[in-house]
Amino acid sequence: MGKVKPGPLARRPDNSAFKQQRLPAWSPMLTANTVLPFFYFMALICMLLGVWLLLTVQSTEELKLDYTEAGTCNLCFEKRKNVSNAAQPCICTAVFNIKKAFKGDVFFYYGLINFHQNLRRYMDSRDDAQMVGRKNNLKSPSSYCMPFDKNKNGVPIAPCGAVANSIFNDSFTLSYMASSGSVHVPLLRKGISWYTDKNIKYRNPSTENMTLPQVFEGTAPPLYWQKPVYDLDPLDKNNNGFINDDLIVWMREAAFPNFKKLYGVLHRANKPFVNGLPAGNYSVEISYNFPVQYFRGRKEVVLTTLTWFGGQNHFLPIAYLVTSCLIQLIAILLTVFWFKFGKNGQNMEE
Amino acid sequence: MAVNENADRPKAVRLRGKDVNAESSLKWPELYRSGQRQELSSPLILISSLLYAVYSSLVFFFIPFGVFHNTAYDFQTMAVTVAMAATFTANVEISLVTRYWTRLNVAAVCVSVVMFFICSRITHSTSLFKASPGDYFFLGASNRAFIDPLVWLTALLTTWTAVLPSMTALAINVIFNMHDKHKVHSASSQPVELRSRLRRGASLRRSSYALSQGAGPGRLISSGTCIRSTVPTVDEQVTADNNPTDSQLQINMKNK
């Protein structure tokens, strides 16, 4: 506050540029000559972007195989309708054909249709403090996980919650039918999760001198799991517990009911996969565990190449092109209005 | 958010405009005509604000929905995309209404956008996550989202589509009306003579001074003042003619 000036003008505001609104200001001169070219320019930009993105997307290859009831998976589909068969394994095979070779890195995804991972109550049903490795949360999971926090014997569940409980547990083995016979397609299954997830968000409780199963003593696996959390990957000891890559990928909830999640990347070290996937017949052997008929869902396998823009996503280029057409239409309408009314008005004033 | 901003339109217009001095006010009475006619809080304006809010909500959802549907992108990346689009849209809307760009206005817009990115990075950071994993579970989302071209392209398209009606309205306004506002502030002050017939009794036609001293827009809307016509009814016209209270005022404004 400034000094108090006595007299009738005591409460007058300061004579500063800010308070007397004398700040230097720029005022845009908006006339038809600036506005109309702006609309045409934006329409042009949207069109160029749309065309460029469309060309980029056209260069990707994608193959989707819905294997819910395909091939011999029909029998597994029937088997999984019965809950009492849940512990029994079921292996099935589906075949597909690639017409054009996939050049470059090939990404193998599993996809689910009609599985709402974005349901609010489902997304809340997890305990991030437990999965970051806090010991007291390990044995006493948060109440958000209910009813998946303790099993019927009162033993706490690790990892708790509906998200972990519903983990996708199908596994795939891809084979290429070359002329010399069936060749196993190697998939890299490491590094499929985010760096921050794998190293910060999900941590096993500190082991000290104990082994991982000993750390998890006193907890039970989730109700729908066949294996306990410390034994998720028998081949790689470092991929067990809460830091298991498949678990981490599943726990990152998808935005919409139809989604896909990364399963593996083609390992391009050896022939014939050095340049990608060659054209031909392929078969995928599936260990079919995840039941989808309860929510009328479908399961699929997606093989795709990626560009800087992602996979085969036609929506964005088309949206840009549609927007550019719309703006073009608006710009033309405005130009017509200007010729009919605006220009005449100007002439009349003068 | 859009409804809130548009409901307080008179205040919004005041904040972004500039005051006019007394001589200029007398010279250009059309400047306060919109207040007298209560144009800014008329039902048409309210309904169009509501419709615009509904339209922009639909745009903010359906364009990211179309892009991220059936992809490997997760919920948190989509959330960051929509937040970016909303921030950009709000700033563009403010920029469209601002007529006088002082350094403060430019700074406000820039700071708003920059603060969005900074605050996102802070709330998605490791230290906050470690302090409370249950609350700050967006760890790592902005790391990947802010460098992903798909996220940026989606946010820009959503912003542009959401802002399109306002831009079109502005363009139509520019084309149909030639604004003389530049003359308003650059004219030199000259002696002005005010002649008016003050008619007492026409209570529905309120001067802008009365409007500014009276109830705010909320009260105007809830009491239905703005819905009543500002044209005096036949009875009031007759009353006014029977009681002519002519007072002709002459005011000479001297140069300061």
Side-chain angles (χ1 to χ4, degrees):
Chain A
M1 296 289 288
K3 48 192 185 297
V4 177
K5 297 164 279 218
L9 300 176
R11 291 175 54 198
R12 194 194 242 181
D14 297 338
N15 194 17
S16 65
F18 174 64
K19 289 195 179 168
Q20 297 299 329
Q21 296 193 356
R22 285 195 305 262
L23 286 173
W26 172 73
S27 184
M29 284 279 290
L30 284 179
T31 60
N33 290 332
T34 49
V35 163
L36 286 176
F38 176 73
F39 272 84
Y40 282 109
F41 178 66
M42 288 309 297
L44 184 71
I45 294 229
C46 284
M47 192 173 69
L48 288 175
L49 263 175
V51 166
W52 180 37
L53 292 177
L54 196 62
L55 290 175
T56 313
V57 163
Q58 299 287 56
S59 68
T60 58
E61 305 281 341
E62 188 186 70
L63 184 121
K64 276 192 184 176
L65 172 71
D66 183 333
Y67 69 88
T68 321
E69 296 167 291
T72 50
C73 296
N74 214 351
L75 304 165
C76 287
F77 181 67
E78 298 296 325
K79 193 172 188 180
R80 292 292 170 226
K81 280 187 180 168
N82 197 344
V83 177
S84 54
N85 292 335
Q88 299 171 14
C90 188
I91 314 271
C92 67
T93 314
V95 293
F96 59 92
N97 178 276
I98 291 184
K99 292 186 188 56
K100 199 172 154 204
F102 283 22
K103 291 216 173 46
D105 280 320
V106 181
F107 292 79
F108 189 105
Y109 295 92
Y110 62 85
L112 277 173
I113 309 276
N114 206 23
F115 188 91
H116 291 253
Q117 263 203 325
N118 55 354
L119 189 70
R120 175 81 198 178
R121 192 66 188 89
Y122 177 91
M123 288 177 73
D124 279 344
S125 179
R126 55 191 288 161
D127 189 1
D128 287 301
Q130 187 191 59
M131 301 195 79
V132 83
R134 292 190 177 172
K135 280 266 166 68
N136 42 340
N137 287 81
L138 184 68
K139 297 279 167 60
S140 55
S142 120
S143 58
Y144 277 104
C145 285
M146 279 163 58
F148 299 100
D149 55 342
K150 289 185 166 43
N151 66 3
K152 56 181 185 299
N153 298 332
V155 180
I157 295 179
C160 77
V163 188
N165 186 39
S166 56
I167 188 177
F168 187 80
N169 45 11
D170 283 5
S171 53
F172 309 96
T173 313
L174 192 59
S175 308
Y176 172 50
M177 316 290 208
S179 43
S180 49
S182 171
V183 179
H184 169 73
V185 178
L187 285 177
L188 280 171
R189 301 258 289 124
K190 298 223 189 344
I192 54 177
S193 50
W194 291 13
Y195 174 84
T196 44
D197 281 356
K198 178 90 176 177
N199 295 297
I200 305 172
K201 196 166 179 187
Y202 297 93
R203 298 265 85 205
N204 282 330
S206 55
T207 43
E208 283 133 25
N209 315 349
M210 301 186 276
T211 62
L212 204 56
Q214 286 174 332
V215 174
F216 283 101
E217 214 163 327
T219 65
L223 307 173
Y224 293 177
W225 284 26
Q226 291 151 344
K227 295 183 279 195
V229 69
Y230 49 79
D231 204 21
L232 281 173
D233 191 349
L235 300 170
D236 182 3
K237 278 201 202 56
N238 291 330
N239 198 24
N240 282 321
F242 294 141
I243 56 175
N244 177 268
D245 276 316
D246 288 318
L247 177 64
I248 292 174
V249 165
W250 179 257
M251 294 295 285
R252 182 149 283 282
E253 296 106 340
F256 294 111
N258 299 0
F259 58 87
K260 51 186 199 239
K261 289 187 185 281
L262 191 57
Y263 184 79
V265 184
L266 177 70
H267 189 53
R268 289 167 57 192
N270 302 317
K271 281 189 173 179
F273 308 115
V274 177
N275 291 327
L277 279 184
N281 287 326
Y282 288 80
S283 80
V284 55
E285 193 182 86
I286 304 158
S287 168
Y288 196 113
N289 297 312
F290 196 77
V292 290
Q293 64 271 18
Y294 297 106
F295 52 89
R296 290 196 298 274
R298 315 280 307 169
K299 296 192 281 188
E300 58 187 14
V301 151
V302 182
L303 283 156
T304 179
T305 54
L306 296 182
T307 60
W308 63 268
F309 181 58
Q312 219 174 51
N313 189 353
H314 281 110
F315 181 86
L316 200 59
I318 292 178
Y320 266 104
L321 288 173
V322 166
T323 308
S324 104
C325 289
L326 190 68
I327 300 170
Q328 188 79 357
L329 196 68
I330 291 176
I332 290 174
L333 274 172
L334 287 175
T335 317
V336 165
F337 279 154
W338 183 55
F339 273 128
K340 287 193 99 174
F341 303 110
K343 253 190 170 170
N344 289 343
Q346 253 181 323
N347 292 336
M348 277 196 319
E349 263 184 49
E350 283 154 15
Chain B
M1 178 194 86
V3 172
N4 273 337
E5 202 186 89
N6 287 321
D8 205 5
R9 212 149 177 89
K11 175 171 152 206
V13 171
R14 267 205 310 279
L15 283 176
R16 282 133 209 175
K18 191 173 169 178
D19 275 349
V20 172
N21 62 10
E23 295 92 334
S24 310
S25 295
L26 287 170
K27 207 168 176 186
W28 285 286
E30 59 262 16
L31 284 179
Y32 41 83
R33 198 153 286 157
S34 63
Q36 286 183 322
R37 294 207 193 118
Q38 288 164 355
E39 275 171 13
L40 290 178
S41 48
S42 68
L44 182 67
I45 297 280
L46 291 176
I47 289 174
S48 65
S49 300
L50 193 64
L51 281 176
Y52 174 64
V54 169
Y55 165 79
S56 51
S57 301
L58 291 173
V59 161
F60 283 140
F61 176 72
F62 279 104
I63 293 189
F65 169 74
V67 175
F68 292 123
H69 188 60
N70 242 330
T71 58
Y73 283 94
D74 61 304
F75 180 82
Q76 294 178 354
T77 306
M78 188 201 76
V80 170
T81 311
V82 175
M84 266 169 73
T87 308
F88 292 159
T89 305
N91 281 299
V92 170
E93 290 285 334
I94 289 175
S95 311
L96 285 180
V97 182
T98 307
R99 287 271 158 266
Y100 295 97
W101 285 95
T102 63
R103 287 205 192 98
L104 282 174
N105 293 51
V106 176
V109 171
C110 293
V111 164
S112 167
V113 174
V114 166
M115 281 304 286
F116 164 73
F117 286 106
I118 291 180
C119 289
S120 291
R121 297 285 296 150
I122 291 175
T123 46
H124 301 179
S125 68
T126 312
S127 34
L128 276 178
F129 171 76
K130 287 205 169 126
S132 173
D135 294 324
Y136 296 99
F137 50 87
F138 265 60
L139 174 68
S142 57
N143 288 357
R144 295 172 68 105
F146 288 156
I147 56 174
D148 192 345
L150 185 74
V151 165
W152 276 92
L153 286 169
T154 310
L156 289 173
L157 179 67
T158 312
T159 305
W160 178 235
T161 313
V163 157
L164 206 54
S166 303
M167 284 229 170
T168 313
L170 180 71
I172 288 178
N173 211 11
V174 164
I175 286 175
F176 281 127
N177 311 322
M178 291 304 295
H179 284 290
D180 297 325
K181 61 180 183 335
H182 294 283
K183 292 192 232 160
V184 171
H185 287 280
S186 53
S188 54
S189 34
Q190 304 240 323
V192 187
E193 200 177 285
L194 171 69
R195 292 180 176 279
S196 79
R197 293 159 55 93
L198 290 179
R199 255 181 259 106
R200 307 196 196 286
S203 56
L204 287 179
R205 233 181 116 86
R206 308 176 74 218
S207 72
S208 57
Y209 177 77
L211 202 65
S212 68
Q213 298 299 310
R219 184 60 91 144
L220 279 179
I221 293 167
S222 56
S223 68
T225 318
C226 57
I227 296 175
R228 274 184 244 129
S229 161
T230 50
V231 175
T233 59
V234 176
D235 294 332
E236 280 159 339
Q237 272 177 338
V238 169
T239 320
D241 284 335
N242 283 341
N243 305 329
T245 319
D246 286 11
S247 26
Q248 294 209 342
L249 302 174
Q250 254 184 342
I251 299 173
N252 275 325
M253 308 292 284
K254 292 207 175 88
N255 267 346
K256 286 204 180 129

